[in-house]
Amino acid sequence: DHYFPVTDRQAATVLVRTPYGRGMPFSLDVRFLAERGFHVLVQSCRGTFGSGGEFDPMRHEAADGQDTVAWLRRQHWFDGRLATYGASYLGFVQWALATDPPPELRAAVVLVGPHDFSQAAYHHGAFDLQNFLGWSEMVAHQETTRTLTGLWRMATTERRLRPALNGMPVTASARDLLGTGAPWFEGWLEHPDVTDPFWAPLQCGAALERTTVPTLLVGGWQDLFLAQTLEQYRVLSGRGVPTRLVVGPWTHLDVGMRGGEAIAESLAWLDRYLGPRATAEAADDGSHSGPPENSVRVWVGGTQAPGWREVSGWPPAGPREQRWSLGPHGSLSPQPAGSPGSAQFRYDPADPTPSVGGAVMTLTAGVRDNQAVEQRADVLVFTSEPLVEPVEILGEVAAELSVTRDNPHADLFVRLCDVDAKGRSRNICDGIVRLTAKDPDDGLVRVSLIGVARWFAPGHRLRLQVAGGAYPRFARNPGNGQVEAPARDLVPTVYRIDLPSSALLLPVTG
């Protein structure tokens, strides 16, 4: 579909390649771009919504993107200036094209878009089950679902997926759910090694080293691709590529439904580099209007928090790393632990520790009260005293845990929460690591909780959760070295955390 402005002057082209169809409500977004004075070309990816061939997620996007640009060059209305735009999968196709950037490419707007799907599917070895089973089921039915039915399906996703998520092994239960509509899903489960050549076409990290075009990156603190968005900024800005990063209080789905700030930033970025006021002289002398290049705007959350703030890069230069020690009786303190001790828990894959909120693509995503899961015996909880003064953290959060386990095949899931005066424990950030026989049975394990911008108010407490999983967000670890297994093959794991040498690492400002 080609949208074009009613004007006599030449206009740049914004390319949007999507597997989700070209009609309502998606067409409203691209109309905004055309109304700003751009040609907009919306193309259905191979095998979707009338496009020929077979849809195999992300596998053909680099080649198909190049063919699309070659077709554009032959159009009489194409003036030789090109931008790419889109969120999620529409962001991945931009990175796929940028692995061999066409000379016409002048700007890119990537919203919550990964550049490496293998890393998104396997978070440090743990398969992102709920997100990608749900996505596969949605795509399998999207062309036979009307808009209202699609909204109903979105609202009932968790209920509809529950039998498949609970079944074992996952491939068999997923096959009952998906039928023949998503053959790629089993392939993802069958290739847990991200260095396997199977993943090569879905790994577009080379684009971060090759592109030189001004790039706007938009992420959400509760988005499943946040780690990659932050990596994209670090690499591009480090190479001197004009880059702006915006991270808001959004889940993955929020960026499209509630991310008005993201849309405003996107339009400003395209106007800056390709709009009617963008001239070759401005591009050369850096006299563009708008936010500075290589700048970062983040939403600082929390009670009485300041909201939006411009910061100096990511991670910002100001905060200093502060160690908060895990102590006896579930204590958490910025002071060293007073006495030695340990804490122990048992993870049973037959009764996996449940996940609450977080970076999932459901209506219950995002910040939620974690009190119920914190009462379970398979979750260790370390909580600070009520804060006398506010604590602001800005940057990467990590946990260093001295772990001994009786099973080499085990996961560590770690989550930071903000506990208010009423005891509500709200998740802020989290991370997971899958341990294998290649890792020592006894040693220090670092778990990245990715990034955060948070203001903890006086009277609030910091809380750290440590568990053996977060199901069904991540596939349960069967404990036998496999990604999945029949119920009869499940093996539990007992963990012991050595407290004096375990800590939460916080980037504290001030």
Side-chain angles (χ1 to χ4, degrees):
D1 291 350
H2 177 203
Y3 297 80
F4 55 90
V6 182
T7 177
D8 293 332
R9 58 177 168 74
Q10 287 188 319
T13 297
V14 179
L15 174 62
V16 181
R17 302 188 61 249
T18 173
Y20 303 127
R22 305 178 308 282
M24 289 285 289
F26 178 74
S27 58
L28 290 177
D29 287 343
V30 297
R31 286 178 185 271
F32 287 137
L33 296 176
E35 289 170 358
R36 300 286 284 210
F38 299 106
H39 288 276
V40 185
L41 188 72
V42 185
Q43 180 192 52
S44 287
C45 293
R46 180 191 300 213
T48 67
F49 291 90
S51 182
E54 182 179 344
F55 182 59
D56 191 350
M58 291 153 282
R59 197 160 293 275
H60 303 291
E61 302 304 351
D64 290 353
Q66 294 293 338
D67 288 347
T68 304
V69 175
W71 178 88
L72 269 172
R73 294 183 183 121
R74 300 194 297 269
Q75 308 312 304
H76 68 88
W77 45 266
F78 182 60
D79 74 351
R81 295 180 299 151
L82 176 67
T84 55
Y85 172 87
S88 193
Y89 193 106
L90 286 66
F92 177 87
V93 300
Q94 296 181 65
W95 294 120
L97 179 65
T99 57
D100 184 12
E104 296 87 354
L105 190 59
R106 304 293 177 85
V109 175
V110 181
L111 301 92
V112 292
H115 57 270
D116 185 338
F117 184 72
S118 67
Q119 298 293 340
Y122 285 92
H123 292 244
H124 303 287
F127 183 68
D128 196 326
L129 175 63
Q130 184 176 19
N131 280 323
F132 295 117
L133 178 60
W135 182 85
S136 296
E137 195 261 352
M138 181 273 294
V139 171
H141 294 93
Q142 65 176 348
E143 296 194 42
T144 58
T145 303
R146 295 180 180 273
T147 302
L148 291 179
T149 307
L151 293 174
W152 177 84
R153 288 181 63 83
M154 179 182 295
T156 59
T157 295
E158 290 180 270
R159 185 183 70 190
R160 197 171 56 256
L161 294 183
R162 191 173 298 123
L165 292 170
N166 290 338
M168 298 190 71
V170 174
T171 48
S173 58
R175 195 177 302 132
D176 292 338
L177 173 74
L178 301 172
T180 60
W184 56 80
F185 181 77
E186 291 189 31
W188 296 343
L189 280 171
E190 291 167 356
H191 296 84
D193 182 358
V194 297
T195 65
D196 190 311
F198 168 88
W199 293 106
L202 284 65
Q203 296 169 327
C204 296
L208 306 183
E209 300 292 346
R210 296 172 183 171
T211 184
T212 58
V213 302
T215 303
L216 171 67
L217 303 167
V218 176
W221 291 127
Q222 297 294 325
D223 175 46
L224 66 155
F225 300 128
L226 174 63
Q228 295 200 39
T229 299
L230 299 178
E231 179 186 359
Q232 291 156 15
Y233 176 79
R234 286 194 295 268
V235 176
L236 293 181
S237 62
R239 292 179 49 232
V241 176
T243 314
R244 178 163 171 80
L245 172 67
V246 178
V247 186
W250 306 309
T251 67
H252 192 75
L253 299 179
D254 282 343
V255 173
M257 297 188 292
R258 305 176 188 173
E261 191 78 20
I263 300 301
E265 289 270 2
S266 300
L267 293 174
W269 194 258
L270 293 172
D271 280 345
R272 174 176 181 150
Y273 291 101
L274 291 169
R277 292 181 298 277
T279 64
E281 291 76 18
D284 290 338
D285 65 18
S287 61
H288 297 291
S289 61
E293 297 169 346
N294 297 332
S295 58
V296 178
R297 191 178 193 212
V298 297
W299 176 267
V300 182
T303 305
Q304 304 173 3
W308 287 107
R309 181 188 299 173
E310 295 281 338
V311 298
S312 59
W314 193 269
R320 56 185 176 84
E321 185 176 271
Q322 193 174 94
R323 293 180 64 88
W324 287 55
S325 298
L326 279 58
H329 312 295
S331 64
L332 179 66
S333 171
Q335 307 302 322
S339 59
S342 65
Q344 184 172 298
F345 70 98
R346 180 179 184 268
Y347 174 79
D348 184 357
D351 180 25
T353 313
S355 56
V356 179
V360 291
M361 293 187 285
T362 69
L363 298 182
T364 57
V367 177
R368 302 287 169 176
D369 190 348
N370 283 239
Q371 289 182 88
V373 75
E374 289 170 353
Q375 301 303 312
R376 287 178 58 105
D378 56 0
V379 179
L380 295 182
V381 175
F382 299 90
T383 309
S384 74
E385 294 295 324
L387 298 173
V388 177
E389 299 291 336
V391 171
E392 183 180 70
I393 56 176
L394 204 61
E396 182 190 6
V397 175
E400 288 185 351
L401 303 175
S402 181
V403 181
T404 301
R405 62 195 192 281
D406 67 353
N407 182 350
H409 306 291
D411 291 352
L412 269 177
F413 176 78
V414 182
R415 168 171 276 183
L416 175 64
C417 294
D418 182 346
V419 184
D420 66 17
K422 295 183 178 180
R424 290 172 296 201
S425 179
R426 294 185 171 94
N427 52 293
I428 306 303
C429 56
D430 52 51
I432 192 167
V433 169
R434 175 152 294 191
L435 304 173
T436 71
K438 296 179 181 178
D439 302 296
D441 292 338
D442 185 350
L444 199 64
V445 179
R446 181 183 176 94
V447 183
S448 172
L449 279 62
I450 313 179
V452 69
R454 185 76 180 184
W455 196 84
F456 292 83
H460 283 224
R461 293 173 290 163
L462 280 70
R463 176 169 292 166
L464 189 71
Q465 298 175 14
V466 180
Y471 182 81
R473 177 178 167 192
F474 298 106
R476 71 184 95 197
N477 192 325
N480 60 1
Q482 301 175 22
V483 175
E484 57 166 345
R488 64 178 181 274
D489 295 336
L490 299 180
V491 181
T493 301
V494 175
Y495 302 75
R496 190 182 77 247
I497 309 297
D498 183 49
L499 300 180
S501 52
S502 298
L504 170 65
L505 309 180
L506 297 176
V508 178
T509 65

